[in-house]
Amino acid sequence: MSPAAPGSTGKPASPARRRFLLDAARTGGGVALFSVGLGLYTQQAASLPALALRPPGALDEPAFLGACVRCGLCVRDCPWDTLKLATLGEEVATGTPYFTAREVPCEMCEDIPCVKACPTGALDPALTDIDDARMGLAVLIDEENCLNFQGLRCDVCYRVCPSIDKAITLELQHNPRSGKHALFIPTVHSDACTGCGKCEKACVLEQAAIRVLPARLARGELGAHYRWGWKEKQKAGGSLVPPDQEHRYNLPRGERYDYEGKGLIMDETDQAVPFARNPLDTLNRGLEEQR
Amino acid sequence: MIRDRHPGAEAVAQKGWLRAHAWLLARRTSQLSILALFLLGPWFGVWIVKGNLNASLTLDVLPLTDPYVLLQSLAAGHLPEMTAIAGALIVAAFYLLAGGRAYCAWVCPVNMVTDGAHWLRERLGISGASRLSAATRYWILAATLILAALTSTLAWEFINPVSMLHRGLIFGMGLAWLLVLSVFLLDLLVSRRAWCAHLCPVGAFYSLLGTRSMLRVRAERREHCDDCMDCFLVCPEPRVIRPALKGAAKGIGPVITSANCTNCGRCIDVCAKNVFRFGSRFGNRPDTPGQSTQHSPGVEVLR
């Protein structure tokens, strides 16, 4: 510091220096205010609405927003005009590509031109098989209105699925309403569903009963400590709780229960039991005369 | 108040309207042609250039990336693919030669908006000193990069009117016109050349990029300056001219070396004495042959 420097001597600062510091402080303050505003806005605007889906191969949303340069080359190379760039005022981060399944779903091109077009890797070039894409996960969201849940054979979501019988299967259930028919329940399997959205697009209802949601909304997650007992048993090749205890039921004399799968066993040898061998006979006792 | 004499009137009288607007016309042609190249695809199905100024692909082979956008992406923690990096290097190399802020004057679509605002401001005689510091843009530039790092997103691209106007014209505007209108009104009403010369971090980035650029405006015949002040009036960055034009006595060479010069060439247009021309940054000696600095009336006045 020069000897004329203020502070130590108590002399007033030179006007030029004072002006410089004031200007710098004002500019810095203004820019800081601007930064806080922009930073907060960014956090708000970065939340992707549930029905906006990213193109195949898109990085996780936070990483995507740091990688996508909003150039629109993926949009240009999408042969189906599925993708569009968000404009200011939409809920999706401005300039980033997305699609809405109910409007135009992804047609799952085998050569994945959108990923090839991406210059930055925001759409991961490691995605080479479109079946590995995970744009979202279809969820049969409204069982009350789904026609198949009422016992009708709509099946449209199942029929249009590009991964039919893998991503969506029809699972048979008893139809308790009619008592004699089956329900063909469309069931989505996350290990095969790419989230292309063709099922949502095709759903015949006014509002789709099946919708593609981002995985973060569509999926639950098991506690990290949780284990499925039967899977662990299979993995270990035997019971993990040594040794298997014999089940002890309070069964009538002459009956046993096999804990390894045979079920209820009637001891043929013991004739002294007061009950019939077939439990139904016991239950129906006294009805024979009425037949 | 309407200005009675607009800068460049003398040049028009001496050189003719066309020569007195040559660089302005060339610049508008450049800006509109580049925009047209991008619009040929979506409007007429002629795909010469795809994408927008942030990143594009020309004739399916030449990738171009805005190095500032890429820098934000790096700050956000993403290492881009080679395509984007190569594109950014090509663009950076070009502006290292052509003058960083040539982007602002010859490419950026917002330039037409702010030039329009400036024109109207002059016509309407709107004045009033604003105390906006010209260095604000560098603060904002730093802030955008810090924000990118803090939020892991391209924070600035959420509101960048430059990329938004260009993208809007090509892909659909949405409400981006509100931002563009804000920039227009800012330049018209709040402060002279507020956006491009004071606030825009994109321009600030290109200023830094072109600090050592080759192509420069030179006040080659500065001894002929008659202090009409027209060049100062038309210059979007008036501070850049003075050292080169009036620095002969202080031993400053005739090259406009400031990184803030946009290489727009408007000073060349409006100078009736043909003081300025485009040239290289080399040979920036104060004693240009044939110069009679000591007797230059301009320099005498300045003292």
Side-chain angles (χ1 to χ4, degrees), chain A residues 23-24 26-28 31 34-35 38 42-43 45 62 65-73 76-77 85 87-88 93-95 119-121 125, chain B residues 42 47 50-52 54-55 69 73 78 80-81 83-84 131 136 139 143 147 151-156 158-159 167 170-172 174-175:
Chain A
D23 280 350
R26 196 177 53 231
T27 307
V31 173
F34 157 81
S35 304
L38 177 57
T42 303
Q43 298 308 99
L65 289 175
C68 171
V69 294
R70 287 83 159 142
C71 67
L73 284 172
R76 287 298 177 234
D77 281 10
L85 290 188
T87 58
L88 195 65
T94 309
T120 66
Chain B
W47 294 103
K50 282 193 264 190
N52 59 41
N54 278 10
V69 174
S73 191
H78 175 73
E81 289 294 307
T83 314
R131 299 192 55 203
T136 310
W139 290 73
L147 272 178
T151 61
S152 299
T153 67
L154 305 189
W156 172 242
F158 279 81
I159 59 162
R167 190 171 54 236
I170 298 166
F171 287 93
L175 293 179

Short mmCIF file of all heavy atoms in Angstrom, two decimals, chain A residues 23-24 26-28 31 34-35 38 42-43 45 62 65-73 76-77 85 87-88 93-95 119-121 125, chain B residues 42 47 50-52 54-55 69 73 78 80-81 83-84 131 136 139 143 147 151-156 158-159 167 170-172 174-175:
data_model
loop_
_atom_site.label_atom_id
_atom_site.label_comp_id
_atom_site.label_asym_id
_atom_site.label_seq_id
_atom_site.Cartn_x
_atom_site.Cartn_y
_atom_site.Cartn_z
N ASP A 23 -18.78 1.78 -7.48
CA ASP A 23 -19.28 1.21 -8.74
C ASP A 23 -19.19 -0.30 -8.71
O ASP A 23 -20.12 -1.01 -9.10
CB ASP A 23 -18.48 1.76 -9.92
CG ASP A 23 -18.96 3.15 -10.32
OD1 ASP A 23 -20.01 3.56 -9.79
OD2 ASP A 23 -18.28 3.80 -11.12
N ALA A 24 -18.04 -0.77 -8.23
CA ALA A 24 -17.85 -2.22 -8.18
C ALA A 24 -18.87 -2.86 -7.25
O ALA A 24 -19.46 -3.89 -7.56
CB ALA A 24 -16.43 -2.55 -7.73
N ARG A 26 -21.80 -1.69 -6.41
CA ARG A 26 -23.15 -1.61 -6.96
C ARG A 26 -23.36 -2.67 -8.04
O ARG A 26 -24.36 -3.38 -8.07
CB ARG A 26 -23.41 -0.22 -7.54
CG ARG A 26 -24.89 0.04 -7.77
CD ARG A 26 -25.17 1.43 -8.28
NE ARG A 26 -24.36 1.72 -9.44
CZ ARG A 26 -23.61 2.81 -9.57
NH1 ARG A 26 -23.54 3.68 -8.59
NH2 ARG A 26 -22.91 3.02 -10.67
N THR A 27 -22.36 -2.77 -8.93
CA THR A 27 -22.47 -3.77 -9.99
C THR A 27 -22.53 -5.17 -9.40
O THR A 27 -23.38 -5.98 -9.76
CB THR A 27 -21.27 -3.66 -10.94
OG1 THR A 27 -21.17 -2.31 -11.39
CG2 THR A 27 -21.44 -4.58 -12.13
N GLY A 28 -21.61 -5.41 -8.45
CA GLY A 28 -21.57 -6.73 -7.83
C GLY A 28 -22.87 -7.05 -7.13
O GLY A 28 -23.40 -8.16 -7.25
N VAL A 31 -25.59 -7.77 -9.72
CA VAL A 31 -25.40 -9.08 -10.35
C VAL A 31 -25.70 -10.20 -9.36
O VAL A 31 -26.27 -11.23 -9.73
CB VAL A 31 -23.98 -9.20 -10.93
CG1 VAL A 31 -23.72 -10.61 -11.42
CG2 VAL A 31 -23.77 -8.20 -12.06
N PHE A 34 -29.38 -10.56 -9.24
CA PHE A 34 -29.78 -11.25 -10.48
C PHE A 34 -29.49 -12.75 -10.38
O PHE A 34 -30.31 -13.58 -10.76
CB PHE A 34 -29.03 -10.61 -11.64
CG PHE A 34 -28.88 -11.50 -12.85
CD1 PHE A 34 -29.92 -11.63 -13.75
CD2 PHE A 34 -27.69 -12.18 -13.09
CE1 PHE A 34 -29.78 -12.45 -14.86
CE2 PHE A 34 -27.55 -13.00 -14.19
CZ PHE A 34 -28.59 -13.14 -15.07
N SER A 35 -28.32 -13.08 -9.82
CA SER A 35 -27.92 -14.49 -9.74
C SER A 35 -28.84 -15.28 -8.83
O SER A 35 -29.22 -16.41 -9.15
CB SER A 35 -26.48 -14.60 -9.23
OG SER A 35 -25.62 -13.85 -10.05
N LEU A 38 -32.04 -15.81 -10.70
CA LEU A 38 -31.90 -16.80 -11.77
C LEU A 38 -31.71 -18.19 -11.19
O LEU A 38 -32.30 -19.16 -11.68
CB LEU A 38 -30.72 -16.43 -12.68
CG LEU A 38 -30.41 -17.42 -13.80
CD1 LEU A 38 -31.63 -17.63 -14.70
CD2 LEU A 38 -29.23 -16.97 -14.64
N THR A 42 -34.16 -21.19 -11.86
CA THR A 42 -33.64 -22.41 -12.46
C THR A 42 -34.14 -23.64 -11.71
O THR A 42 -34.58 -24.61 -12.31
CB THR A 42 -32.11 -22.39 -12.42
OG1 THR A 42 -31.66 -21.22 -13.09
CG2 THR A 42 -31.53 -23.59 -13.10
N GLN A 43 -34.10 -23.58 -10.38
CA GLN A 43 -34.54 -24.72 -9.59
C GLN A 43 -36.01 -25.01 -9.83
O GLN A 43 -36.43 -26.16 -9.92
CB GLN A 43 -34.28 -24.47 -8.10
CG GLN A 43 -32.83 -24.28 -7.75
CD GLN A 43 -31.95 -25.40 -8.28
OE1 GLN A 43 -31.31 -25.27 -9.32
NE2 GLN A 43 -31.94 -26.53 -7.60
N ALA A 45 -37.82 -24.06 -12.53
CA ALA A 45 -38.10 -24.41 -13.92
C ALA A 45 -37.53 -25.77 -14.29
O ALA A 45 -37.88 -26.33 -15.31
CB ALA A 45 -37.54 -23.34 -14.85
N PRO A 62 -31.44 -34.23 -13.82
CA PRO A 62 -30.48 -33.17 -13.42
C PRO A 62 -29.25 -33.14 -14.34
O PRO A 62 -28.81 -32.06 -14.76
CB PRO A 62 -30.08 -33.59 -12.00
CG PRO A 62 -31.13 -34.52 -11.55
CD PRO A 62 -31.66 -35.21 -12.76
N LEU A 65 -30.07 -31.61 -17.80
CA LEU A 65 -30.16 -30.15 -17.87
C LEU A 65 -28.79 -29.50 -17.87
O LEU A 65 -28.66 -28.33 -18.23
CB LEU A 65 -31.00 -29.62 -16.70
CG LEU A 65 -32.49 -29.93 -16.81
CD1 LEU A 65 -33.22 -29.48 -15.56
CD2 LEU A 65 -33.08 -29.27 -18.04
N GLY A 66 -27.76 -30.23 -17.46
CA GLY A 66 -26.42 -29.68 -17.55
C GLY A 66 -25.72 -30.07 -18.84
O GLY A 66 -24.68 -29.52 -19.17
N ALA A 67 -26.31 -31.02 -19.56
CA ALA A 67 -25.63 -31.53 -20.75
C ALA A 67 -26.29 -31.06 -22.05
O ALA A 67 -25.62 -30.88 -23.05
CB ALA A 67 -25.62 -33.06 -20.72
N CYS A 68 -27.61 -30.87 -22.00
CA CYS A 68 -28.34 -30.50 -23.23
C CYS A 68 -28.09 -29.03 -23.54
O CYS A 68 -28.29 -28.17 -22.68
CB CYS A 68 -29.82 -30.75 -23.03
SG CYS A 68 -30.84 -30.09 -24.37
N VAL A 69 -27.64 -28.74 -24.76
CA VAL A 69 -27.38 -27.35 -25.14
C VAL A 69 -28.57 -26.73 -25.88
O VAL A 69 -28.46 -25.65 -26.44
CB VAL A 69 -26.10 -27.19 -25.98
CG1 VAL A 69 -24.89 -27.54 -25.15
CG2 VAL A 69 -26.15 -28.03 -27.24
N ARG A 70 -29.68 -27.40 -25.90
CA ARG A 70 -30.91 -26.83 -26.46
C ARG A 70 -30.77 -26.49 -27.94
O ARG A 70 -31.24 -25.46 -28.40
CB ARG A 70 -31.31 -25.55 -25.71
CG ARG A 70 -31.87 -25.72 -24.31
CD ARG A 70 -30.81 -25.85 -23.25
NE ARG A 70 -31.33 -25.51 -21.91
CZ ARG A 70 -30.98 -26.15 -20.81
NH1 ARG A 70 -30.13 -27.15 -20.85
NH2 ARG A 70 -31.48 -25.79 -19.65
N CYS A 71 -30.10 -27.37 -28.70
CA CYS A 71 -29.86 -27.06 -30.10
C CYS A 71 -30.97 -27.57 -30.99
O CYS A 71 -31.16 -27.08 -32.11
CB CYS A 71 -28.53 -27.65 -30.55
SG CYS A 71 -28.48 -29.45 -30.59
N GLY A 72 -31.70 -28.59 -30.55
CA GLY A 72 -32.83 -29.08 -31.35
C GLY A 72 -32.44 -30.04 -32.45
O GLY A 72 -33.26 -30.38 -33.31
N LEU A 73 -31.20 -30.52 -32.47
CA LEU A 73 -30.81 -31.44 -33.54
C LEU A 73 -31.55 -32.78 -33.42
O LEU A 73 -31.86 -33.40 -34.43
CB LEU A 73 -29.29 -31.66 -33.51
CG LEU A 73 -28.47 -30.49 -34.08
CD1 LEU A 73 -26.98 -30.70 -33.83
CD2 LEU A 73 -28.73 -30.32 -35.56
N ARG A 76 -34.86 -32.32 -35.04
CA ARG A 76 -34.76 -32.31 -36.50
C ARG A 76 -34.66 -33.72 -37.06
O ARG A 76 -35.16 -34.01 -38.14
CB ARG A 76 -33.54 -31.50 -36.93
CG ARG A 76 -33.71 -30.01 -36.77
CD ARG A 76 -34.84 -29.50 -37.64
NE ARG A 76 -35.06 -28.09 -37.43
CZ ARG A 76 -36.25 -27.58 -37.11
NH1 ARG A 76 -37.30 -28.35 -36.95
NH2 ARG A 76 -36.39 -26.27 -36.97
N ASP A 77 -33.97 -34.59 -36.36
CA ASP A 77 -33.75 -35.92 -36.91
C ASP A 77 -34.81 -36.93 -36.49
O ASP A 77 -34.73 -38.09 -36.87
CB ASP A 77 -32.34 -36.42 -36.51
CG ASP A 77 -31.28 -35.78 -37.40
OD1 ASP A 77 -31.64 -34.85 -38.15
OD2 ASP A 77 -30.11 -36.19 -37.36
N LEU A 85 -39.12 -28.84 -28.99
CA LEU A 85 -38.36 -28.08 -28.00
C LEU A 85 -39.34 -27.26 -27.17
O LEU A 85 -40.25 -26.63 -27.70
CB LEU A 85 -37.37 -27.15 -28.68
CG LEU A 85 -36.17 -27.78 -29.39
CD1 LEU A 85 -35.18 -26.71 -29.83
CD2 LEU A 85 -35.48 -28.79 -28.49
N THR A 87 -40.77 -24.23 -25.27
CA THR A 87 -40.60 -22.78 -25.42
C THR A 87 -40.85 -22.11 -24.08
O THR A 87 -41.41 -22.72 -23.16
CB THR A 87 -41.59 -22.22 -26.47
OG1 THR A 87 -42.91 -22.54 -26.06
CG2 THR A 87 -41.31 -22.80 -27.82
N LEU A 88 -40.43 -20.86 -23.99
CA LEU A 88 -40.61 -20.12 -22.76
C LEU A 88 -42.10 -20.04 -22.43
O LEU A 88 -42.92 -19.74 -23.30
CB LEU A 88 -40.03 -18.71 -22.90
CG LEU A 88 -39.84 -17.94 -21.59
CD1 LEU A 88 -38.80 -18.61 -20.72
CD2 LEU A 88 -39.42 -16.50 -21.88
N ALA A 93 -38.17 -27.16 -19.07
CA ALA A 93 -37.04 -26.22 -19.17
C ALA A 93 -36.89 -25.73 -20.61
O ALA A 93 -36.82 -26.54 -21.55
CB ALA A 93 -35.75 -26.90 -18.71
N THR A 94 -36.84 -24.42 -20.76
CA THR A 94 -36.86 -23.81 -22.08
C THR A 94 -35.80 -24.38 -23.02
O THR A 94 -34.64 -24.49 -22.65
CB THR A 94 -36.61 -22.30 -21.94
OG1 THR A 94 -37.50 -21.79 -20.97
CG2 THR A 94 -36.83 -21.59 -23.25
N GLY A 95 -36.24 -24.73 -24.21
CA GLY A 95 -35.30 -25.16 -25.24
C GLY A 95 -34.92 -26.62 -25.19
O GLY A 95 -34.21 -27.09 -26.07
N PRO A 119 -25.16 -33.77 -30.19
CA PRO A 119 -23.72 -33.52 -30.24
C PRO A 119 -23.04 -33.58 -28.88
O PRO A 119 -21.82 -33.67 -28.81
CB PRO A 119 -23.64 -32.10 -30.83
CG PRO A 119 -24.91 -31.45 -30.41
CD PRO A 119 -25.95 -32.54 -30.33
N THR A 120 -23.81 -33.53 -27.80
CA THR A 120 -23.18 -33.37 -26.49
C THR A 120 -23.20 -34.64 -25.64
O THR A 120 -22.50 -34.70 -24.64
CB THR A 120 -23.90 -32.28 -25.67
OG1 THR A 120 -25.22 -32.73 -25.38
CG2 THR A 120 -23.94 -30.97 -26.42
N GLY A 121 -24.00 -35.62 -26.03
CA GLY A 121 -24.13 -36.80 -25.18
C GLY A 121 -25.19 -36.64 -24.12
O GLY A 121 -25.28 -37.45 -23.21
N PRO A 125 -24.97 -41.80 -26.14
CA PRO A 125 -24.68 -42.62 -27.34
C PRO A 125 -24.46 -44.09 -26.99
O PRO A 125 -24.41 -44.92 -27.89
CB PRO A 125 -23.41 -41.99 -27.91
CG PRO A 125 -22.81 -41.23 -26.79
CD PRO A 125 -23.93 -40.80 -25.89
N PRO B 42 -36.70 -25.65 -41.82
CA PRO B 42 -38.07 -25.73 -41.32
C PRO B 42 -39.09 -25.05 -42.23
O PRO B 42 -40.25 -25.46 -42.25
CB PRO B 42 -38.01 -25.03 -39.96
CG PRO B 42 -36.71 -24.31 -39.93
CD PRO B 42 -35.79 -25.02 -40.86
N TRP B 47 -32.47 -28.58 -46.17
CA TRP B 47 -31.71 -28.74 -44.93
C TRP B 47 -30.23 -28.53 -45.16
O TRP B 47 -29.48 -29.49 -45.30
CB TRP B 47 -32.00 -30.11 -44.32
CG TRP B 47 -33.40 -30.23 -43.87
CD1 TRP B 47 -34.40 -30.90 -44.49
CD2 TRP B 47 -33.99 -29.63 -42.70
NE1 TRP B 47 -35.57 -30.77 -43.79
CE2 TRP B 47 -35.35 -30.00 -42.69
CE3 TRP B 47 -33.48 -28.83 -41.67
CZ2 TRP B 47 -36.22 -29.59 -41.69
CZ3 TRP B 47 -34.36 -28.41 -40.68
CH2 TRP B 47 -35.71 -28.79 -40.70
N LYS B 50 -28.86 -27.46 -39.79
CA LYS B 50 -29.83 -27.92 -38.79
C LYS B 50 -29.42 -27.43 -37.42
O LYS B 50 -28.23 -27.25 -37.16
CB LYS B 50 -29.89 -29.46 -38.78
CG LYS B 50 -30.69 -30.05 -39.91
CD LYS B 50 -30.97 -31.51 -39.66
CE LYS B 50 -29.94 -32.37 -40.36
NZ LYS B 50 -30.28 -33.79 -40.36
N GLY B 51 -30.39 -27.27 -36.54
CA GLY B 51 -30.08 -26.87 -35.17
C GLY B 51 -30.26 -25.38 -34.98
O GLY B 51 -31.11 -24.76 -35.64
N ASN B 52 -29.51 -24.79 -34.08
CA ASN B 52 -29.53 -23.35 -33.90
C ASN B 52 -28.15 -22.89 -33.47
O ASN B 52 -27.20 -23.66 -33.51
CB ASN B 52 -30.63 -22.93 -32.91
CG ASN B 52 -30.46 -23.56 -31.55
OD1 ASN B 52 -29.35 -23.67 -31.05
ND2 ASN B 52 -31.55 -24.02 -30.95
N ASN B 54 -26.75 -22.41 -30.76
CA ASN B 54 -26.11 -23.12 -29.65
C ASN B 54 -25.30 -24.30 -30.15
O ASN B 54 -24.22 -24.59 -29.65
CB ASN B 54 -27.15 -23.59 -28.64
CG ASN B 54 -27.55 -22.47 -27.70
OD1 ASN B 54 -27.19 -21.32 -27.92
ND2 ASN B 54 -28.29 -22.80 -26.66
N ALA B 55 -25.87 -25.02 -31.10
CA ALA B 55 -25.16 -26.11 -31.75
C ALA B 55 -25.87 -26.39 -33.06
O ALA B 55 -27.09 -26.32 -33.12
CB ALA B 55 -25.14 -27.37 -30.89
N VAL B 69 -21.74 -21.77 -24.56
CA VAL B 69 -22.71 -22.76 -24.07
C VAL B 69 -21.98 -24.01 -23.59
O VAL B 69 -22.31 -24.58 -22.55
CB VAL B 69 -23.73 -23.11 -25.18
CG1 VAL B 69 -24.64 -24.23 -24.73
CG2 VAL B 69 -24.54 -21.89 -25.56
N SER B 73 -21.79 -25.85 -19.94
CA SER B 73 -22.04 -27.28 -19.74
C SER B 73 -20.89 -27.91 -18.95
O SER B 73 -21.11 -28.72 -18.05
CB SER B 73 -22.20 -27.95 -21.11
OG SER B 73 -22.67 -29.26 -20.96
N HIS B 78 -20.72 -31.51 -16.93
CA HIS B 78 -20.91 -32.52 -17.98
C HIS B 78 -19.75 -32.44 -18.96
O HIS B 78 -19.42 -31.36 -19.46
CB HIS B 78 -22.22 -32.28 -18.73
CG HIS B 78 -22.42 -33.20 -19.89
ND1 HIS B 78 -22.71 -34.54 -19.73
CD2 HIS B 78 -22.32 -33.01 -21.22
CE1 HIS B 78 -22.81 -35.10 -20.93
NE2 HIS B 78 -22.57 -34.20 -21.85
N PRO B 80 -18.86 -33.06 -22.52
CA PRO B 80 -19.62 -33.35 -23.74
C PRO B 80 -18.91 -34.34 -24.65
O PRO B 80 -17.71 -34.58 -24.51
CB PRO B 80 -19.72 -31.98 -24.43
CG PRO B 80 -19.24 -30.99 -23.43
CD PRO B 80 -18.32 -31.72 -22.51
N GLU B 81 -19.67 -34.87 -25.59
CA GLU B 81 -19.12 -35.76 -26.61
C GLU B 81 -18.19 -34.96 -27.52
O GLU B 81 -18.25 -33.73 -27.60
CB GLU B 81 -20.26 -36.35 -27.45
CG GLU B 81 -21.10 -37.35 -26.71
CD GLU B 81 -20.32 -38.60 -26.35
OE1 GLU B 81 -19.73 -39.20 -27.25
OE2 GLU B 81 -20.31 -38.96 -25.16
N THR B 83 -18.20 -34.49 -30.68
CA THR B 83 -18.85 -33.67 -31.70
C THR B 83 -19.01 -32.24 -31.23
O THR B 83 -18.65 -31.29 -31.94
CB THR B 83 -20.24 -34.25 -32.03
OG1 THR B 83 -20.11 -35.66 -32.19
CG2 THR B 83 -20.80 -33.63 -33.29
N ALA B 84 -19.51 -32.09 -30.02
CA ALA B 84 -19.74 -30.74 -29.50
C ALA B 84 -18.42 -30.03 -29.24
O ALA B 84 -18.28 -28.83 -29.50
CB ALA B 84 -20.57 -30.82 -28.22
N ARG B 131 -26.06 4.85 -15.24
CA ARG B 131 -24.78 4.57 -14.60
C ARG B 131 -24.46 3.09 -14.65
O ARG B 131 -23.72 2.57 -13.82
CB ARG B 131 -24.79 5.12 -13.17
CG ARG B 131 -25.01 6.63 -13.16
CD ARG B 131 -24.74 7.23 -11.82
NE ARG B 131 -23.39 6.90 -11.34
CZ ARG B 131 -23.06 6.91 -10.05
NH1 ARG B 131 -23.95 7.23 -9.16
NH2 ARG B 131 -21.83 6.63 -9.69
N THR B 136 -20.34 -4.66 -16.22
CA THR B 136 -21.37 -5.51 -15.62
C THR B 136 -21.44 -6.86 -16.32
O THR B 136 -21.62 -7.90 -15.70
CB THR B 136 -22.74 -4.82 -15.70
OG1 THR B 136 -22.60 -3.50 -15.21
CG2 THR B 136 -23.77 -5.56 -14.89
N TRP B 139 -19.19 -9.45 -14.95
CA TRP B 139 -19.72 -9.98 -13.69
C TRP B 139 -20.81 -11.01 -13.98
O TRP B 139 -20.86 -12.07 -13.36
CB TRP B 139 -20.31 -8.84 -12.84
CG TRP B 139 -19.31 -7.89 -12.28
CD1 TRP B 139 -18.62 -6.94 -12.97
CD2 TRP B 139 -18.90 -7.77 -10.91
NE1 TRP B 139 -17.80 -6.25 -12.12
CE2 TRP B 139 -17.95 -6.72 -10.85
CE3 TRP B 139 -19.25 -8.45 -9.75
CZ2 TRP B 139 -17.36 -6.34 -9.66
CZ3 TRP B 139 -18.65 -8.06 -8.56
CH2 TRP B 139 -17.70 -7.01 -8.52
N ALA B 143 -21.04 -14.84 -13.16
CA ALA B 143 -22.18 -15.34 -12.39
C ALA B 143 -22.84 -16.52 -13.11
O ALA B 143 -23.22 -17.50 -12.47
CB ALA B 143 -23.19 -14.22 -12.17
N LEU B 147 -23.21 -20.07 -11.45
CA LEU B 147 -24.55 -20.64 -11.29
C LEU B 147 -24.64 -22.01 -11.95
O LEU B 147 -25.28 -22.93 -11.42
CB LEU B 147 -25.60 -19.72 -11.90
CG LEU B 147 -26.17 -18.64 -10.98
CD1 LEU B 147 -27.15 -17.78 -11.74
CD2 LEU B 147 -26.85 -19.27 -9.78
N THR B 151 -25.82 -25.08 -9.75
CA THR B 151 -27.10 -25.74 -9.99
C THR B 151 -26.97 -26.97 -10.89
O THR B 151 -27.94 -27.67 -11.12
CB THR B 151 -28.08 -24.76 -10.67
OG1 THR B 151 -27.53 -24.36 -11.94
CG2 THR B 151 -28.31 -23.53 -9.82
N SER B 152 -25.76 -27.20 -11.43
CA SER B 152 -25.54 -28.32 -12.35
C SER B 152 -26.44 -28.25 -13.57
O SER B 152 -26.75 -29.27 -14.17
CB SER B 152 -25.73 -29.68 -11.66
OG SER B 152 -24.80 -29.79 -10.62
N THR B 153 -26.91 -27.06 -13.90
CA THR B 153 -27.70 -26.91 -15.12
C THR B 153 -27.15 -25.72 -15.89
O THR B 153 -26.39 -24.93 -15.36
CB THR B 153 -29.18 -26.62 -14.81
OG1 THR B 153 -29.25 -25.31 -14.22
CG2 THR B 153 -29.77 -27.62 -13.87
N LEU B 154 -27.55 -25.63 -17.16
CA LEU B 154 -27.17 -24.44 -17.94
C LEU B 154 -28.10 -23.31 -17.52
O LEU B 154 -29.02 -22.94 -18.24
CB LEU B 154 -27.30 -24.71 -19.44
CG LEU B 154 -26.54 -25.92 -19.98
CD1 LEU B 154 -26.58 -25.92 -21.50
CD2 LEU B 154 -25.10 -25.89 -19.53
N ALA B 155 -27.85 -22.76 -16.34
CA ALA B 155 -28.79 -21.81 -15.74
C ALA B 155 -29.08 -20.64 -16.68
O ALA B 155 -30.24 -20.25 -16.87
CB ALA B 155 -28.22 -21.29 -14.42
N TRP B 156 -28.03 -20.11 -17.28
CA TRP B 156 -28.23 -18.92 -18.13
C TRP B 156 -29.14 -19.24 -19.31
O TRP B 156 -29.89 -18.39 -19.77
CB TRP B 156 -26.86 -18.41 -18.60
CG TRP B 156 -26.93 -17.33 -19.62
CD1 TRP B 156 -26.46 -17.36 -20.89
CD2 TRP B 156 -27.52 -16.02 -19.45
NE1 TRP B 156 -26.72 -16.18 -21.52
CE2 TRP B 156 -27.37 -15.33 -20.66
CE3 TRP B 156 -28.17 -15.38 -18.39
CZ2 TRP B 156 -27.83 -14.03 -20.86
CZ3 TRP B 156 -28.64 -14.08 -18.59
CH2 TRP B 156 -28.46 -13.42 -19.81
N PHE B 158 -31.73 -20.80 -19.40
CA PHE B 158 -33.15 -20.72 -19.07
C PHE B 158 -33.73 -19.38 -19.49
O PHE B 158 -34.94 -19.26 -19.69
CB PHE B 158 -33.37 -20.92 -17.57
CG PHE B 158 -33.37 -22.36 -17.14
CD1 PHE B 158 -32.18 -23.04 -16.94
CD2 PHE B 158 -34.55 -23.04 -16.95
CE1 PHE B 158 -32.17 -24.36 -16.56
CE2 PHE B 158 -34.56 -24.37 -16.56
CZ PHE B 158 -33.37 -25.03 -16.37
N ILE B 159 -32.86 -18.35 -19.54
CA ILE B 159 -33.40 -17.01 -19.83
C ILE B 159 -32.61 -16.27 -20.90
O ILE B 159 -32.92 -15.13 -21.20
CB ILE B 159 -33.44 -16.13 -18.56
CG1 ILE B 159 -32.03 -16.00 -17.99
CG2 ILE B 159 -34.40 -16.67 -17.54
CD1 ILE B 159 -31.92 -14.84 -17.02
N ARG B 167 -33.50 -19.52 -31.38
CA ARG B 167 -34.22 -20.79 -31.32
C ARG B 167 -35.70 -20.57 -31.57
O ARG B 167 -36.35 -21.37 -32.25
CB ARG B 167 -34.00 -21.43 -29.95
CG ARG B 167 -34.51 -22.85 -29.86
CD ARG B 167 -34.07 -23.50 -28.57
NE ARG B 167 -34.44 -22.71 -27.43
CZ ARG B 167 -33.58 -22.27 -26.51
NH1 ARG B 167 -32.31 -22.56 -26.60
NH2 ARG B 167 -33.99 -21.53 -25.50
N ILE B 170 -36.67 -20.33 -35.16
CA ILE B 170 -36.54 -21.58 -35.90
C ILE B 170 -37.49 -22.65 -35.37
O ILE B 170 -38.12 -23.38 -36.13
CB ILE B 170 -35.09 -22.09 -35.81
CG1 ILE B 170 -34.16 -21.06 -36.45
CG2 ILE B 170 -34.94 -23.42 -36.50
CD1 ILE B 170 -32.71 -21.29 -36.13
N PHE B 171 -37.62 -22.73 -34.04
CA PHE B 171 -38.36 -23.85 -33.46
C PHE B 171 -39.70 -23.44 -32.85
O PHE B 171 -40.46 -24.27 -32.41
CB PHE B 171 -37.53 -24.52 -32.37
CG PHE B 171 -36.39 -25.35 -32.89
CD1 PHE B 171 -35.14 -24.81 -33.04
CD2 PHE B 171 -36.58 -26.67 -33.26
CE1 PHE B 171 -34.08 -25.55 -33.53
CE2 PHE B 171 -35.54 -27.44 -33.74
CZ PHE B 171 -34.29 -26.87 -33.88
N GLY B 172 -39.96 -22.14 -32.79
CA GLY B 172 -41.20 -21.71 -32.14
C GLY B 172 -40.88 -20.83 -30.95
O GLY B 172 -40.07 -21.18 -30.12
N GLY B 174 -42.92 -19.28 -28.42
CA GLY B 174 -43.50 -19.28 -27.08
C GLY B 174 -43.58 -17.86 -26.55
O GLY B 174 -43.91 -16.93 -27.29
N LEU B 175 -43.22 -17.70 -25.30
CA LEU B 175 -43.26 -16.36 -24.70
C LEU B 175 -41.90 -15.67 -24.78
O LEU B 175 -41.69 -14.63 -24.16
CB LEU B 175 -43.70 -16.46 -23.24
CG LEU B 175 -45.15 -16.91 -23.03
CD1 LEU B 175 -45.47 -16.99 -21.54
CD2 LEU B 175 -46.12 -15.98 -23.72
#
